[in-house]
Amino acid sequence: MTNKVIHAIYNDDDVLMDAVKATRAAHHHIEEVYTPFPVHGLDKAMGLAPTRLAICAFLYGVCGISFATWMMNNIMIVDWPQDIGGKPSFSYIENMPAFVPVMFEMTVFFAAHLMVITFYMRSKLWPFKEAENPDVRTTDDHFLMEVELKGSEEEAVSFFKSTGAVEVKVIEKH
């Protein structure tokens, strides 16, 4: 089954924001918005749910500090205790002030690297993946709003022209 979508192209981010609000007010379903740079407030205007990536970052940081604690305890206390700089190696707690920089760095390392992997997986950005950008101009200076077409094509085209679109196309999607 094929369905049609409308590609409304804008050349100003403020006009795009007003068009997104008008489109949502008219109860059209916005499939996607392609922009050459992040537009502040666009996610709220589109009605997208808040991101949960911050929760993932916290959990990855907890994994990092846990791994660092386990690693330093096993290496420096259990497996190969050494007297470095006069610091006793009887217990982890006694040596913990010396381990704080390592714990911090491992927390940041885990959070940063696992967040990048999570972002790529969540965004479905795999190596060698073909670009899904419907119009090349959206990587330079134009904004594209892809809207599911319901009802009359003529009414929809005139609606999007009235929102400030410089170009409106009806495309068949497979």
Side-chain angles (χ1 to χ4, degrees):
M1 179 178 152
T2 63
N3 57 352
K4 293 183 179 181
V5 293
I6 292 180
H7 285 176
I9 298 175
Y10 300 88
N11 59 4
D12 186 13
D13 57 335
D14 293 327
V15 175
L16 172 73
M17 284 293 288
D18 294 337
V20 167
K21 291 173 186 172
T23 303
R24 289 211 7 135
H27 303 292
H28 292 289
H29 176 67
I30 301 172
E31 294 285 332
E32 188 64 72
V33 176
Y34 298 91
T35 64
F37 54 83
V39 178
H40 180 69
L42 184 60
D43 53 342
K44 287 185 177 139
M46 288 178 63
L48 298 177
T51 181
R52 295 182 302 264
L53 288 176
I55 297 168
C56 291
F58 175 75
L59 293 175
Y60 296 152
V62 168
C63 289
I65 199 165
S66 301
F67 180 75
T69 303
W70 172 83
M71 178 186 72
M72 288 181 300
N73 184 52
N74 281 332
I75 292 172
M76 300 299 290
I77 306 301
V78 176
D79 188 37
W80 194 314
Q82 297 180 36
D83 186 3
I84 300 172
K87 294 182 179 79
S89 45
F90 302 126
S91 72
Y92 181 80
I93 298 298
E94 289 176 318
N95 288 320
M96 197 172 79
F99 296 153
V100 168
V102 176
M103 292 188 303
F104 172 76
E105 291 298 331
M106 289 299 282
T107 301
V108 172
F109 179 84
F110 269 63
H113 286 80
L114 292 175
M115 279 302 297
V116 168
I117 292 169
T118 301
F119 173 75
Y120 284 145
M121 289 176 62
R122 178 68 180 95
S123 301
K124 297 178 181 146
L125 294 173
W126 315 113
F128 310 110
K129 182 177 186 252
E130 292 286 327
E132 295 178 3
N133 197 354
D135 194 323
V136 183
R137 294 176 290 177
T138 60
T139 62
D140 189 22
D141 62 348
H142 282 70
F143 305 85
L144 186 141
M145 180 169 43
E146 185 176 275
V147 181
E148 183 180 330
L149 178 64
K150 289 184 180 173
S152 168
E153 279 185 36
E154 293 81 21
E155 288 176 15
V157 168
S158 66
F159 170 77
F160 287 107
K161 286 275 189 189
S162 71
T163 62
V166 295
E167 184 178 328
V168 179
K169 294 187 268 185
V170 178
I171 308 288
E172 285 218 23
K173 253 194 157 167
H174 299 284

